[in-house]
Amino acid sequence: MVQAFSRSRSAPGPQAAAAGAGRARPRREPVGGRVTRTRTALVTGASSGIGAAVARRLGDEGDWRLVLSGRDPSRLREVAEEASATAFAADLTLPGADRQLADFTLAAVGPVDLLVAGAGVGWAGEFLDMPPHAIDEVLGINVPATLRLVRLVLPGMVEAGSGRVVLIGSLAGSVAVRDEAVYSAAKAAIGAFADALRYELRGTGVGVTHVVPGVVDTPFFERRGTPYRRSRPRPVSAERVADAVRTAVVRGRDEVYVPGWLRLPCRVRGAAPGLYRRLATRFG
């Protein structure tokens, strides 16, 4: 499933190349540095939740050419209209969808300065009760779909000597959460990928940011079929996470926790894993 919608400010036709296409492009300014031109951003998972909030936040700034991707065409169209963006509805787990999105983005707005990989899905319940198709879906959307898109967008950033990849992780990937075994594994993979990729890109001018939110007040829990019932940590708004993404891009941060105190349990788990496991087993 692939559908494209043009943003209201652009010329008709989503396949129209950005102005200047086909000519040699000047070296791009570092993302987050002093802005001297309109920058380009691709945001996935933008139909709702964190991705939609990031899209609106960037749209409010007014100096981004945006392409938004998500699996729900109607909701994606609404977000795109609010952010003055171009929408490309697609299921990135389908063969070739990542390439179609990358090619469309290049034609619509030009080379990508910022990729915010926010597409994700969860599932709650004991692993023994998890159907095989749900395992494939959670892993497929969170890991290979994300990595394939990064692989397609990254060469242009490296060639330009500038850019930033923002990977939306989760506290579940940093500390592991009961009844979310596969989701925890998927987000742990994203965290490890962020670190390893950052090492590889050192000296290229391209940065990698890993955003680690806790519980976020989004439709995520409704879609996974199980509401959030714990008293701690309390949910934060998607807009708060979007602000953290924007700050991380501007300041070139490698890793951001939302809220910031979530860094503490992650450090406890790293420094004293046995103690952390005993506490987690007892208190959940």
Side-chain angles (χ1 to χ4, degrees):
M1 179 272 293
V2 171
Q3 296 186 42
F5 311 104
S6 295
R7 58 181 179 175
S8 57
R9 294 180 186 174
S10 63
Q15 297 294 341
R23 298 196 302 268
R25 299 183 63 88
R27 186 176 181 85
R28 290 181 269 170
E29 294 86 359
V31 174
R34 180 174 176 270
V35 178
T36 60
R37 65 172 184 84
T38 301
R39 297 162 293 176
T40 62
L42 170 58
V43 182
T44 67
S47 300
S48 64
I50 294 173
V54 170
R56 295 187 186 101
R57 183 68 175 83
L58 296 178
D60 287 343
E61 292 188 6
D63 57 358
W64 290 94
R65 290 192 298 259
L66 297 172
V67 170
L68 312 181
S69 181
R71 293 197 294 176
D72 188 309
S74 60
R75 290 190 307 195
L76 187 66
R77 185 196 295 267
E78 294 176 1
V79 176
E81 290 177 350
E82 294 174 6
S84 296
T86 299
F88 188 91
D91 181 349
L92 295 179
T93 64
L94 297 178
D98 48 356
R99 170 64 69 178
Q100 289 178 309
L101 174 58
D103 290 346
F104 173 84
T105 302
L106 181 63
V109 299
V112 175
D113 296 301
L114 171 65
L115 169 63
V116 180
V121 66
W123 191 91
E126 293 188 3
F127 180 68
L128 288 176
D129 296 329
M130 190 174 188
H133 73 83
I135 296 175
D136 294 340
E137 182 183 28
V138 171
L139 291 176
I141 294 176
N142 287 291
V143 186
T146 296
L147 269 59
R148 286 196 299 263
L149 185 60
V150 173
R151 178 63 182 84
L152 289 170
V153 172
L154 194 58
M157 294 183 179
V158 173
E159 182 180 0
S162 175
R164 181 158 293 271
V165 174
V166 177
L167 301 168
I168 305 299
S170 170
L171 180 65
S174 298
V175 300
V177 175
R178 177 187 298 170
D179 292 337
E180 296 183 23
V182 177
Y183 181 71
S184 295
K187 289 302 185 179
I190 291 298
F193 173 66
D195 283 342
L197 184 61
R198 193 181 302 113
Y199 300 148
E200 293 182 15
L201 294 175
R202 182 179 179 182
T204 66
V206 180
V208 179
T209 297
H210 182 215
V211 179
V212 186
V215 182
V216 184
D217 186 11
T218 71
F220 175 88
F221 295 100
E222 297 176 12
R223 288 198 296 269
R224 75 174 188 175
T226 304
Y228 181 74
R229 295 190 177 94
R230 298 179 182 177
S231 59
R232 291 287 189 277
R234 293 181 178 178
V236 299
S237 68
E239 289 71 25
R240 183 171 176 180
V241 181
D243 287 341
V245 169
R246 190 264 180 187
T247 299
V249 170
V250 170
R251 300 183 181 179
R253 291 180 173 173
D254 292 340
E255 193 165 57
V256 179
Y257 290 81
V258 188
W261 66 265
L262 290 179
R263 188 180 299 271
L264 178 60
C266 297
R267 288 181 173 176
V268 171
R269 184 176 184 269
L275 173 62
Y276 182 87
R277 292 189 188 102
R278 288 194 295 272
L279 292 173
T281 300
R282 181 175 180 181
F283 299 107

